[in-house]
Amino acid sequence: MSRNFLVIDPEENIDVLKGLASPIRVKMLKLLHMEGALNGNDIAEKLGLPQSTVSTNLQILEGAGLIRTETQKARKGNQKICHSTFDEVLVMFKDDIKPLRANTIEVSMPLGLYTSCEVSAPCGLCSTEGIIGLLDVPDTFLDPDRMKAGLIWFTRGFLEYQFPNNAKLAQNTIESMEFVMELSSEVPGTSADWPSDITLSVNGTEIGTWLSTGDFGDKRGVYTPDWWKLKGSQYGKLKSWRVTLDGTYVDGMKISPVSLHDLDLGNHHSIRLRIAVKPDAKRPGGINIFGRGFGNYDQDIILRLQTAP
C-alpha cells in the first residue's frame, strides 16, 4: 500500500484551494482517483460535460498541481492523458516558527501528520483515547483519525513526513539539521532483546541507520495512558539524528558520511523525512514511534535547524 498526500497551509497554497473550490473539478478529481488515468474526452463523456468545460477545468487543476498530464500518440494525432496527483489533500494551519535561541528554528510534527506511508502488519495506531481503526490492517493508516495518533507501530515499511524548510524561506544557510523522536523496536508483547534496524532518509537520501535493541515494557511509560495494556510497548529511547557539514551523528556518535552538502537543502522548499524498517534490513525488528501522550517524552517528532549567524 502506497499513498500520496499533500499537506497545505491555506495562507501559502491558495492556488490549491482555488483548484478545489469547484464541484466540477472535485468530480473530475474523484473520477481520476477512482478510475485511473483518462483523457479529456473520456472525462467529458463520463461526467456528461462539454469538452470546453473539461478542458478549462483541467488547466486549472494542472496549474494547481492537483493533476499531471502526459502526451501519448493516438490514432489521429496526440492525446493528453490526465493523472490524479494526490490521494488525499490535508489542510493545516502552521504555527509561526519562533527561534529557541539565536539562529535556531524548531518545527514540531504530530505523529499522525505523515504525507506518505507503506507499512506491513503487525501494525497499528492509537490516540490517548483508544485504538484508531483496526489493528494489523495497513489501510487503517489512511483513517482521518490518524491525526490524533500518539503511538504508531509497524513491522516493515515507512512513514514519510514533510517539514517546511523555514531556513530557505528566511534565506538563511543551514549549518546543522537535527531530528529528535522517541523510538523502540516492535514485537508482539514486549522484549528488551529484540534488535531492529531503523533507517532515516531526507529528501530521498539515506542519512543512516540506528540499531534499536528492544521493545520496552518493564514499566509503564511516564505518559502512556492507563487504558493501554501493560503487555504492550510502553516507552522508547529518545534519539537524535544530527546532520552536519562533515557527516551524520546519532546521539553524538558518527554513523554515516552523509553531510549537508549531500542533501543540498538550499534547493528544496521542504524537508521530507522518511522513517523506515527497510525490506532488506539485516535486523527487521519493527518500530514503535511514540508521540504526545505516550512513552517517556511528551513530544512530537522535532526538527531543529541551526543556521549561520
Side-chain angles (χ1 to χ4, degrees), residues 111 124-127 149-153 228 233 288-292 294:
L111 234 60
L125 312 89
C126 60
S127 70
L151 174 61
I152 296 178
W153 66 95
W228 181 244
S233 308
N288 279 283
I289 310 175
F290 298 83
R292 290 191 181 275
F294 282 84

Side-chain angles (χ1 to χ4, degrees), residues 184-245:
S184 78
S185 307
E186 164 57 19
V187 61
T190 63
S191 173
D193 184 18
W194 192 263
S196 185
D197 291 326
I198 298 173
T199 300
L200 262 62
S201 302
V202 174
N203 290 354
T205 299
E206 285 189 15
I207 62 173
T209 298
W210 168 67
L211 173 61
S212 172
T213 57
D215 183 356
F216 308 109
D218 56 306
K219 58 185 177 181
R220 185 173 293 280
V222 173
Y223 295 98
T224 300
D226 292 340
W227 68 265
W228 181 244
K229 58 186 179 181
L230 282 171
K231 293 183 180 180
S233 308
Q234 294 295 320
Y235 63 91
K237 294 184 178 181
L238 192 67
K239 307 306 295 182
S240 165
W241 266 266
R242 190 165 181 263
V243 186
T244 69
L245 294 172

Side-chain angles (χ1 to χ4, degrees), residues 30 35 72 82 93 105 140 144 152-153 171 175 192 202 250 254-255 260 272 305:
K30 187 175 181 179
E35 299 202 14
Q72 293 184 359
C82 305
F93 289 96
I105 298 171
T140 285
I152 296 178
W153 66 95
Q171 297 183 336
E175 293 190 336
V202 174
V250 172
K254 191 171 185 178
I255 63 165
L260 289 173
R272 292 181 291 105
L305 299 175

Side-chain angles (χ1 to χ4, degrees), residues 73-298:
K73 289 185 178 180
R75 291 182 179 179
K76 296 181 179 180
N78 297 319
Q79 63 177 344
K80 183 177 286 188
I81 305 298
C82 305
H83 302 259
S84 177
T85 309
F86 302 101
D87 299 294
E88 291 189 42
V89 178
L90 312 175
V91 179
M92 178 185 70
F93 289 96
K94 299 172 185 174
D95 295 329
D96 290 335
I97 306 302
K98 298 180 180 179
L100 298 179
R101 57 183 185 274
N103 308 319
T104 301
I105 298 171
E106 181 175 295
V107 181
S108 179
M109 181 67 69
L111 234 60
L113 203 59
Y114 44 85
T115 54
S116 184
C117 65
E118 186 172 334
V119 302
S120 65
C123 59
L125 312 89
C126 60
S127 70
T128 54
E129 289 80 30
I131 300 294
I132 297 172
L134 301 174
L135 293 177
D136 300 333
V137 177
D139 282 349
T140 285
F141 277 64
L142 306 178
D143 191 313
D145 280 345
R146 70 181 186 274
M147 299 305 177
K148 303 175 184 177
L151 174 61
I152 296 178
W153 66 95
F154 55 90
T155 304
R156 286 185 176 89
F158 68 85
L159 298 180
E160 187 167 280
Y161 298 85
Q162 187 171 5
F163 290 82
N165 189 351
N166 291 299
K168 179 177 176 60
L169 293 175
Q171 297 183 336
N172 291 332
T173 301
I174 299 173
E175 293 190 336
S176 71
M177 174 179 63
E178 181 183 22
F179 295 100
V180 182
M181 66 199 81
E182 186 176 355
L183 302 170
S184 78
S185 307
E186 164 57 19
V187 61
T190 63
S191 173
D193 184 18
W194 192 263
S196 185
D197 291 326
I198 298 173
T199 300
L200 262 62
S201 302
V202 174
N203 290 354
T205 299
E206 285 189 15
I207 62 173
T209 298
W210 168 67
L211 173 61
S212 172
T213 57
D215 183 356
F216 308 109
D218 56 306
K219 58 185 177 181
R220 185 173 293 280
V222 173
Y223 295 98
T224 300
D226 292 340
W227 68 265
W228 181 244
K229 58 186 179 181
L230 282 171
K231 293 183 180 180
S233 308
Q234 294 295 320
Y235 63 91
K237 294 184 178 181
L238 192 67
K239 307 306 295 182
S240 165
W241 266 266
R242 190 165 181 263
V243 186
T244 69
L245 294 172
D246 66 348
T248 299
Y249 298 76
V250 172
D251 297 341
M253 181 176 295
K254 191 171 185 178
I255 63 165
S256 140
V258 176
S259 71
L260 289 173
H261 294 300
D262 299 311
L263 301 179
D264 191 26
L265 296 178
N267 286 321
H268 292 272
H269 292 283
S270 65
I271 297 172
R272 292 181 291 105
L273 169 68
R274 177 171 291 197
I275 307 169
V277 177
K278 297 168 61 180
D280 60 349
K282 183 178 180 180
R283 292 152 294 203
I287 184 173
N288 279 283
I289 310 175
F290 298 83
R292 290 191 181 275
F294 282 84
N296 286 344
Y297 305 89
D298 193 30

Side-chain angles (χ1 to χ4, degrees), residues 6-17 20 66 89-94 162:
L6 173 65
V7 180
I8 64 170
D9 183 334
E11 294 182 338
E12 299 176 1
N13 304 90
I14 193 66
D15 287 344
V16 176
L17 291 182
L20 294 169
L66 292 168
V89 178
L90 312 175
V91 179
M92 178 185 70
F93 289 96
K94 299 172 185 174
Q162 187 171 5

